[in-house]
Amino acid sequence: QVKLVESGGGLVQAGDSLRLSCAASGRGISSYALGWFRQAPGKEREFVGGVSWSGMNADYADAVKGRFTCSRDNEKNTVYLQMNNLTPEDTAVYYCAADSAGWPIATKSHEYENWGQGTQVTVSS
């Protein structure tokens, strides 16, 4: 069974940076694609970014391209979301998700079988 545990959320000011981590465990997890989604109050959950099983490929939502970077360390079974130049519009609960397909990087939430509990990111203006 795959388990995902996010950490690193918090309260920051606009323009600050924050790095989220997601510790993944479970059989075969290194072959899974890992993605990040977020959900703001009153809004649907949306894709933020993801990285393929190898870590060689990543994809991002237009809203975060150039500011956010996904990476993974398969030795540590951890995926990261580096978030730079944060804005109040980035305020949301951020979720880590795992897709057993591994590739291509899925952007729809229903394509991911496993989810973490989420971590809150709040950006003040």
Side-chain angles (χ1 to χ4, degrees):
Q1 183 175 352
V2 172
K3 182 178 180 182
L4 304 169
V5 180
E6 303 97 333
S7 62
L11 172 63
V12 297
Q13 293 186 332
D16 285 351
S17 298
L18 203 60
R19 188 177 81 158
L20 305 183
S21 300
C22 174
S25 60
R27 188 172 184 176
I29 190 62
S30 61
S31 67
Y32 282 55
L34 296 173
W36 289 96
F37 286 74
R38 67 186 181 186
Q39 188 166 19
K43 295 187 177 181
E44 293 187 355
R45 190 170 298 189
E46 64 176 359
F47 175 74
V48 174
V51 60
S52 63
W53 68 271
S54 67
M56 296 295 290
N57 302 95
D59 193 16
Y60 302 94
D62 288 343
V64 306
K65 278 181 181 176
R67 299 189 298 124
F68 291 13
T69 303
C70 289
S71 62
R72 68 189 290 168
D73 183 336
N74 278 344
E75 291 189 2
K76 297 181 179 180
N77 286 336
T78 301
V79 62
Y80 304 98
L81 182 66
Q82 177 66 44
M83 304 184 293
N84 297 329
N85 194 22
L86 285 160
T87 73
E89 289 69 35
D90 295 315
T91 295
V93 177
Y94 283 70
Y95 297 91
C96 176
D99 172 18
S100 62
W103 174 261
I105 299 167
T107 62
K108 305 297 184 183
S109 58
H110 68 82
E111 296 178 281
Y112 289 80
E113 301 102 327
N114 305 100
W115 293 83
Q117 81 288 349
T119 185
Q120 176 71 46
V121 172
T122 303
V123 184
S124 64
S125 58

